[in-house]
Amino acid sequence: MFRNDGFRALDREECLRLLAKMPVGRVVYTQQALPAVLPVNFALDADASVVLCTAAGSDLVRAIGGVVVAFQADEFDAGNRSGWSVVVTGRAALVSDPAEHARLSQAGPRSWMPIRDPVFVRIESEMITGRELGRPDRPGAPREQRPEQQLGG
């Protein structure tokens, strides 16, 4: 059920189902003590972790190593003012096990960019949160803003 603000919290299973259908998300990490956001293609692994394929020398690889990152994916319909957003928060690390690397090389995500020395990054799904924005014609969905509530007005 939608709360009065038009948002509905998604449970873990709904979040994973929605993530599984998306080809691209954003990884949020720290680079030189500042937040960095990088759009990436990804795959969900059987243990619900997010797996990325990137170049061994990438900024992302240099920034992780057991640190906590966030991964976000969403889908919105601006015309209907509806959609959803899911955030996975957890430790990110390079996949170092040779057997796991071989498995992901066969069945894991492929980088959309040509890369010479691909590595896999795994983000553990220690916390998964999500919410859905309801359509305006649904009960409990946000109503039109009054002119004085609009930005720039």
Side-chain angles (χ1 to χ4, degrees):
M1 180 159 179
F2 287 88
R3 299 185 327 236
N4 287 340
D5 62 4
F7 288 100
R8 179 177 70 88
L10 302 173
D11 65 28
R12 181 179 177 92
E13 290 74 28
E14 287 177 294
C15 289
L16 292 173
R17 180 183 58 77
L18 291 168
L19 279 178
K21 72 178 192 170
M22 298 306 296
V24 175
R26 290 166 275 308
V27 62
V28 182
Y29 60 101
T30 303
Q31 183 177 21
Q32 299 177 357
L34 296 171
V37 180
L38 181 67
V40 293
N41 64 302
F42 72 100
L44 276 182
D45 210 349
D47 66 353
S49 61
V50 174
V51 179
L52 320 170
C53 182
T54 190
S58 69
D59 288 343
L60 177 62
V61 168
R62 285 191 295 274
I64 63 165
V67 301
V68 175
V69 302
F71 179 84
Q72 188 266 345
D74 56 41
E75 184 175 63
F76 288 96
D77 180 337
N80 286 324
R81 291 189 274 164
S82 63
W84 58 266
S85 176
V86 171
V87 177
V88 174
T89 306
R91 297 195 184 281
L94 286 176
V95 172
S96 57
D97 177 66
E100 183 68 359
H101 191 279
R103 180 184 74 83
L104 291 171
S105 293
Q106 294 297 313
R110 303 257 187 271
S111 175
W112 288 3
M113 301 294 295
I115 52 178
R116 185 174 284 173
D117 188 16
V119 295
F120 293 97
V121 174
R122 178 180 303 281
I123 302 170
E124 301 296 333
S125 60
E126 296 170 21
M127 183 170 63
I128 301 177
T129 59
R131 60 190 205 160
E132 178 183 25
L133 172 63
R135 290 184 16 182
D137 58 348
R138 288 184 176 165
R143 292 185 294 208
E144 290 287 324
Q145 288 183 319
R146 295 188 304 265
E148 65 270 15
Q149 292 178 309
Q150 294 177 351
L151 295 177

